[in-house]
Amino acid sequence: MSKQNEMTFKYIFTYDYNPVYVNGAHGGISPRGELVINFYLERQPLPNAISHEITATGQIGQETEVEPSDLGRSLVRQVINGVVVNHQTARELHFWLGEKLKEFEAMEQARGAMVAEQAGQVTH
């Protein structure tokens, strides 16, 4: 039996679909009034080069130079990808994220209750 007030969306994934981990975002409103969100992965930088002294026995000794010189005072925000959305889509994403956060919180509360219950059983 057909449902007249129903719509089914079919999801098609491209062959190169590849979810990536991000731990931050940066962006803002574009001149065209759209929201630009650039996702990044924040990590410590890797050196371009490290020099070491060679000891009298021919072994690699202490580090003498690092390139770039500010390596220890730097972090890298590698921009992974980005999206541009209009106002309506931004509102829909905001709502969707809010719903997913509620699900996360419910799961965390259930886990916490289960751990507390198990801890109570162990101590008795």
Side-chain angles (χ1 to χ4, degrees), residues 25-93:
H26 184 271
I29 307 297
S30 76
R32 295 182 179 261
E34 297 169 315
L35 181 60
V36 178
I37 310 166
N38 297 299
F39 297 101
Y40 60 79
L41 172 64
E42 194 170 70
R43 61 174 176 78
Q44 292 186 333
L46 298 173
N48 295 331
I50 298 178
S51 298
H52 289 265
E53 69 178 28
I54 302 298
T55 66
T57 61
Q59 300 294 315
I60 295 175
Q62 289 193 346
E63 191 177 285
T64 58
E65 189 177 354
V66 176
E67 185 183 311
S69 60
D70 68 345
L71 186 73
R73 299 180 316 276
S74 300
L75 287 174
V76 171
R77 285 185 171 173
Q78 181 179 358
V79 178
I80 305 296
N81 52 37
V83 296
V84 179
V85 296
N86 64 27
H87 187 228
Q88 181 60 34
T89 301
R91 284 182 176 280
E92 291 167 1
L93 285 172

Side-chain angles (χ1 to χ4, degrees), residues 7-18:
M7 173 73 66
T8 300
F9 292 90
K10 306 274 182 168
Y11 291 82
I12 299 173
F13 296 85
T14 63
Y15 76 94
D16 60 347
Y17 172 73
N18 184 26

Side-chain angles (χ1 to χ4, degrees), residues 103-117:
E103 289 178 28
F104 267 132
E105 290 160 4
M107 287 171 48
E108 287 173 351
Q109 286 178 349
R111 267 193 211 114
M114 191 177 350
V115 168
E117 182 179 316

